Structure formats: C-alpha cells, structure tokens
Amino acid sequence: MKIYFSTSGGLMGILNNHVMIDSDTFSEKEKYQFENLIRHSDFFNLQSDRPPTHGAADYINYSISIEDGKQKHTVKTNDVTMSSQLEPVIRFLQNKIRK
Amino acid sequence: MKYPILCQIMPPDLLKQLLGQVPEEEKNIVLRTIIIDSKMRERRAIMGSMSSMFPLAGEKSICIFDSHNTKDVRSSTKVRCLNDDKADDLSANEAFHGLDVTYNFYENIFGRKSIDNNNMSIKGYVHWGDKYMNAFWDGAKMCYGDGDPNLGIKSFTASIDVMGHELTHGVTQYESGLEYWCDESHHPGALNESISDVFGSLIKQYALNQTAEQADWLIGQIFTDPNLALRNMREPGTARPNDPQPAHMRDYVNLPNDEDHDNGGVHINSSIPNKAFCLAAIDIGGYAWEKAGQIWYKALHGDIPTDCDFHTFAQLTLETSKLLFGNESREHRAVRKGWEAVGIRI
C-alpha cells in the first residue's frame, strides 16, 4: 500500500509539504493498526470535504491518497471540517512521519 | 481611482443610475462596484441571520477548555473561566491571559466588546490534537496545539500575539468578511492575515507597554530557539531560515489558489501590508495603537470588498487617515509613505 500524505496552510503557511510512505516499511503491529483505521474510516468511499466557510482561518489542509492494488483514492480535508472517522488516520500518519 | 470604494456611500439604485451615465470605458469599473456592493449586502444579511446561532454572553465572557490532546470538542473539559482561580495548567493560564489582554485591548482602545462587538463568549481550546503544531480560528472558537519541543516548536499559547492574531480573525469575520484566498490581482486572504498580524502585534505591544520604535514587530515566537519567529513585520523574510515573505510588491509570490498552496499564499504575501503598517506606525511615533492602529481599525470597520486587493485597502487606510487626522497631516503622509515603501502608490 502506498500512501501519499500532504499538508498545507496553518499559521505557519506551510506549502504543499508532502511525503510518500510505503506500508511495507511498517512493523506488523503498525500495518494491522493502519489497515484497521482504513477499514473503520471506510476510506475508499470517503468524499473530500469542502473548504471551511464563515471566516475560519489558519487551519491546516490535508490530502491523503492511498494506492492499494487496483484501488486508488484521494481524500482532502482540513482542521475545521475533518470527520471523526478520518482524524485517527491523520494522527497515525503524522506520528509515523515524526518518528 | 474613486470607483472601487463607491459602495461605501452610494445606495445600489444610484450605482445602477451611474452605470447609464459614465463613459463606456468606465462602465466595467462601476459594474464591478455593483457586484462587490451586492456581495457585501448579501454577506451582512447572512451574518445577521447567523448571530442567533452563537450564544451571547451579555457581558465579558472568556472560557478555556482542555481538549486532552484530541480534536474532539465533546470530550474537552472546561478548565478556567473569567473570575476563576488560576488553573493547574500552564497552557490554560497562558491562553486565558492572552485572551483576557486581547479582550481588554479591544475594549479599552476601540470600545469593542469581544469578537462580534456584542460580547460573544470567547472560547479557547488548549492541548488541541496530539503534538499539534498550529493554532487556528474555526469561525466560532480558537484551538491551540502543544507543538513538539523535540522538533523545536513550543505550545502556541506561549505567544500573546498568536492569541491576538487568532481572535482578530473573528473580528475580521464580523467586520469585513474578507475571503480567504489570493491570486495575482486580488489579495483578500493576505489582507485577512495581515490584519491579524497587525492587531496581534499591537496587543503584544500594549501588554508590554512598548512604543512602535521599541517593539520587535515579530509574530509567533513559538520556536524553542528565541531568535526565531514565524514572521517579521518590519523586515519580512528575516524571521527564520527560508522565510518566504516578500518585503515589496515587485517580489509578490504568485501561487496557485488551492489547498496545496496555502490558498494562494495568504500567509506569504501578508508581509507586504504588514510592512506598510509597521513603517507608518514607526513614522508616526508613540504607541502604535493610538494612531496607526486607529486608522487600520476604522478602515477594517468600513466597507471592504470581500475580494479586496492591496491597493484598494491602501486607499481605504489613506482616506481614513485623512478623515481622522486631516489632509497632509503627519499621519496622512506616514500612511502614504508606508504603502509607497512596499511598492503600492496611492
């Protein structure tokens, strides 16, 4: 599984900070954890969020693309409209990048 | 160049009448004014109808919530409100102090009561997310991350100008409705960001009792290295290594207006109006909130097109400085010089 994760915006004005993570580099525990998160979030059927309205500012935009065999899907979200299903996926990826 | 701000004073009927009277080559300018005017009227109607959705406190109200390193409001707990004792939590106390100073600044200097000028309850969420390296305004509340000291970033509550910056996004939401994007010829997002930097810096100067000359004009000293900041209003591009902010219109960074490029670089080109304000404030002298701050606040309070460009905003500040302090007054000249120094001739 190939995961393309990018962030942009925020108070720091991040510009298209993107990384590619190959799930083959995950430990067995991480692989199990991530596959569960993808399943629970129903990632391959999630739609992207619309940008926030009503004056919101300094939020971070996130983009996640996952290639798994023949499946490929991209979801875009942000700090304001992010669903509770997607939040653990983003947290997992951010922790993985920090390591 | 009087047409871009016609919508401040002319009712729509008169604008339409004018359309039939102006020469052919000026019809587009009047037409654009009619469109901007109708957008602003629509926005006011929406904001007015939304006001009942936000609980009004009736009097000053500030509450800090602990999000316990989640991004879930429902599991957040109240840790400190107005008149409460200090909390056993540094971030909660820093956030409370920052928002309290910000409320007092707006009330004492501009007579403004909270974000909406109607004592809307101010809500700050600390420990937002897991080592979340950001602070933001979501349209109704402020959220502050803890940062990650291992990556050189402190808690976002550590910087009082960040508190002021985020709350000012709320003020801008209620006063101007500046949209959150930029392109080559429209700069509402960068103006929105600049207004937050301007008042964020003024709030820090007010808290430290500093004159414009004494102020460091730095925004967001959230790095563990005390020599670094997110932005330098006086000398854009020097706040940290690889600081992308331009100091002049000739270096305007034209980026695609999309989610991958900070909505067209709203946090990048904000340095141009930031520097114009800073230079005007230093030229005027004294406490920056007394004159330059008044000019910017009154300009924000006026009718700004939701897709405003730097030039139109510069013109608004220049006209406001003339109205407040007189034609060719020191303040009027300082504002013009400030904008000219960043390549905006008015």
Side-chain angles (χ1 to χ4, degrees):
Chain A
M1 197 186 288
K2 285 195 168 44
I3 306 142
Y4 301 86
F5 180 55
S6 73
T7 53
S8 160
L11 184 64
M12 298 190 200
I14 307 159
L15 288 177
N16 201 12
N17 180 18
H18 57 274
V19 287
M20 196 281 275
I21 308 166
D22 193 327
S23 66
D24 285 347
T25 64
F26 289 176
S27 66
E28 283 305 309
K29 190 182 164 192
E30 285 173 332
K31 206 176 273 183
Y32 174 76
Q33 209 181 342
F34 189 67
E35 282 170 0
N36 263 339
L37 289 172
I38 294 301
R39 201 175 311 115
H40 281 127
S41 67
D42 196 16
F43 181 85
F44 287 97
N45 290 309
L46 281 179
Q47 291 199 329
S48 289
D49 288 326
R50 291 172 67 85
T53 52
H54 306 313
D58 294 334
Y59 51 86
I60 296 177
N61 294 304
Y62 305 89
S63 172
I64 309 168
S65 295
I66 298 181
E67 280 177 23
D68 186 19
K70 285 183 181 171
Q71 289 190 99
K72 185 182 178 187
H73 189 60
T74 300
V75 176
K76 289 178 183 252
T77 186
N78 60 74
D79 283 322
V80 180
T81 57
M82 186 190 301
S83 68
S84 55
Q85 298 148 277
L86 204 54
E87 197 269 328
V89 178
I90 288 173
R91 189 168 1 121
F92 178 96
L93 293 174
Q94 287 186 315
N95 283 334
K96 188 70 196 159
I97 293 163
R98 278 194 202 112
K99 280 181 187 171
Chain B
M1 284 302 294
K2 58 187 174 184
Y3 294 123
I5 52 163
L6 280 174
C7 45
Q8 285 184 98
I9 47 168
M10 291 187 77
D13 286 354
L14 270 178
L15 283 168
K16 282 175 194 162
Q17 211 177 317
L18 185 65
L19 189 62
Q21 294 166 0
V22 294
E24 202 57 37
E25 63 272 19
E26 290 182 5
K27 275 197 165 53
N28 271 346
I29 301 172
V30 179
L31 196 59
R32 187 166 174 267
T33 305
I34 292 171
I35 293 166
I36 290 167
D37 180 72
S38 66
K39 274 188 189 172
M40 286 195 302
R41 283 168 206 280
E42 193 182 339
R43 176 178 58 77
R44 281 203 199 96
I46 292 167
M47 292 309 290
S49 67
M50 280 174 57
S51 60
S52 60
M53 291 164 63
F54 299 104
L56 299 182
E59 54 189 32
K60 179 179 177 181
S61 166
I62 301 171
C63 267
I64 307 300
F65 299 81
D66 185 344
S67 298
H68 307 289
N69 298 115
T70 71
K71 291 184 177 176
D72 186 359
V73 172
R74 289 165 304 175
S75 61
S76 301
T77 50
K78 203 180 273 188
V79 282
R80 187 175 173 191
C81 294
L82 201 65
N83 303 325
D84 286 352
D85 291 336
K86 274 191 171 183
D88 294 326
D89 181 342
L90 177 63
S91 291
N93 291 326
E94 284 175 341
F96 182 86
H97 173 69
L99 294 177
D100 191 41
V101 170
T102 300
Y103 181 100
N104 294 340
F105 169 82
Y106 272 110
E107 185 177 44
N108 296 339
I109 305 302
F110 304 117
R112 184 180 190 87
K113 293 195 178 300
S114 187
I115 295 163
D116 62 346
N117 200 20
N118 198 20
N119 265 334
M120 172 182 171
S121 185
I122 297 173
K123 291 174 183 170
Y125 286 73
V126 299
H127 306 302
W128 183 263
D130 183 17
K131 294 177 184 167
Y132 179 63
M133 288 189 274
N134 191 33
F136 68 96
W137 162 254
D138 79 348
K141 65 178 184 294
M142 286 146 284
C143 302
Y144 311 103
D146 287 339
D148 185 350
N150 292 328
L151 296 178
I153 299 188
K154 298 189 288 187
S155 166
F156 282 72
T157 56
S159 189
I160 195 167
D161 46 273
V162 170
M163 306 280 122
H165 176 104
E166 296 306 334
L167 192 143
T168 300
H169 277 305
V171 173
T172 299
Q173 174 181 325
Y174 278 87
E175 292 303 337
S176 79
L178 279 168
E179 290 167 359
Y180 207 57
W181 57 272
C182 281
D183 65 19
E184 200 168 7
S185 51
H186 303 87
H187 319 112
L191 282 167
N192 191 326
E193 279 304 322
S194 171
I195 288 161
S196 274
D197 278 352
V198 161
F199 289 96
S201 179
L202 290 184
I203 287 156
K204 180 163 85 172
Q205 292 169 38
Y206 178 74
L208 298 172
N209 193 36
Q210 290 176 330
T211 63
E213 192 51 57
Q214 291 166 333
D216 61 18
W217 297 98
L218 297 174
I219 295 292
Q221 288 175 285
I222 46 95
F223 299 94
T224 48
D225 181 340
N227 298 313
L228 305 181
L230 286 177
R231 294 183 273 281
N232 185 329
M233 294 176 68
R234 194 170 186 165
E235 294 175 65
T238 66
R240 56 195 157 103
N242 305 316
D243 180 349
Q245 287 209 299
H248 195 278
M249 267 313 268
R250 67 175 161 257
D251 300 317
Y252 183 87
V253 182
N254 195 20
L255 291 165
N257 170 20
D258 61 34
E259 296 109 331
D260 293 335
H261 296 88
D262 189 30
N263 300 310
V266 298
H267 292 89
I268 294 179
N269 296 304
S270 53
S271 52
I272 293 169
N274 275 0
K275 184 168 180 175
F277 175 84
C278 174
L279 294 178
I282 292 169
D283 193 359
I284 293 167
Y287 293 119
W289 60 83
E290 287 182 344
K291 290 181 175 173
Q294 293 289 344
I295 294 166
W296 253 244
Y297 182 74
K298 291 272 191 289
L300 172 67
H301 220 77
D303 282 339
I304 303 176
T306 54
D307 62 351
C308 195
D309 58 88
F310 287 160
H311 189 274
T312 301
F313 186 73
Q315 201 174 21
L316 273 169
T317 59
L318 187 68
E319 290 193 11
T320 307
S321 67
K322 186 173 149 186
L323 275 173
L324 289 177
F325 300 103
N327 192 26
E328 292 307 315
S329 59
R330 180 180 184 157
E331 295 79 6
H332 188 217
R333 281 184 277 119
V335 170
R336 185 187 293 115
K337 273 170 62 185
W339 286 110
E340 280 177 358
V342 297
I344 295 172
R345 190 164 287 275
I346 33 177

